Amino acid sequence: MRADKETLNNDLKITGSIFAYPYFLFPNVEIDEEGLANKIWGYICPPLEFGLLSPKDSPLINPLSEKAQSLSELGCLRILVCMGKKDDIIPLEIGVRFVEGVKESGWEGEVVYLEVDGGHSFQMHQPEYDEAKRMMKCYADFIHR
């Protein structure tokens, strides 16, 4: 978001962003309250904010929150959102709702959504798997456009 507002070294411009298994939490998305995603957020979130806001209403973890900066101000021209169908940390619905939120925001960039038949970051442990190869090809195509 800030990339569009601040000058980067050598007038570098960010043209695209890849959201691989994005770590967002949204209200009304079922997530294991004792699971890794909630536990990690408890460590990351500043104590004052954790005590004052519902964690899922924090703009630090919920870009769709009323307190968050509008997604229409994304500082790039295109985004790729990748979600794993078997992800036991970040539910598929998180990616779907994020993509919907970006589109509904009025952002004028290109959104690419990719669902892969694997778990969270499976490509790191199974790079030879066909789905990992398909995912990496999609990433490479996105980067090289």
Side-chain angles (χ1 to χ4, degrees):
M1 301 280 252
R2 291 173 35 192
D4 197 37
K5 307 263 184 272
E6 298 176 7
T7 304
L8 300 174
N9 291 343
N10 299 319
D11 290 322
L12 184 69
K13 297 288 183 194
I14 298 174
T15 59
S17 183
I18 297 175
F19 293 80
Y21 313 101
Y23 181 52
F24 300 138
L25 296 176
F26 299 141
N28 305 320
V29 173
E30 194 170 319
I31 193 161
D32 180 4
E33 295 297 323
E34 297 300 316
L36 189 58
N38 269 341
K39 286 182 181 178
I40 291 171
W41 182 237
Y43 292 114
I44 294 172
C45 186
L48 283 177
E49 182 175 62
F50 196 78
L52 296 173
L53 296 172
S54 161
K56 293 181 183 179
D57 288 334
S58 169
L60 297 175
I61 196 72
N62 179 356
L64 304 179
S65 165
E66 289 181 13
K67 295 171 176 50
Q69 186 175 344
S70 172
L71 291 171
S72 66
E73 299 177 34
L74 283 171
C76 58
L77 303 173
R78 53 200 176 89
I79 63 171
L80 167 63
V81 179
C82 179
M83 299 298 294
K85 292 179 186 176
K86 298 175 184 171
D87 193 331
D88 58 350
I89 300 172
I90 306 296
L92 205 57
E93 186 180 350
I94 295 286
V96 171
R97 290 210 19 217
F98 176 67
V99 167
E100 289 170 356
V102 170
K103 289 178 179 179
E104 290 170 5
S105 75
W107 182 64
E108 296 179 359
E110 174 192 1
V111 179
V112 178
Y113 178 73
L114 173 66
E115 272 184 25
V116 292
D117 190 29
H120 196 84
S121 301
F122 76 99
Q123 76 282 2
M124 304 295 281
H125 306 286
Q126 298 172 308
E128 72 288 343
Y129 185 45
D130 286 342
E131 275 296 272
K133 291 176 184 177
R134 181 174 78 90
M135 182 179 153
M136 289 298 107
K137 180 171 180 358
C138 185
Y139 283 14
D141 291 347
F142 182 84
I143 291 167
H144 292 288
R145 277 194 296 137

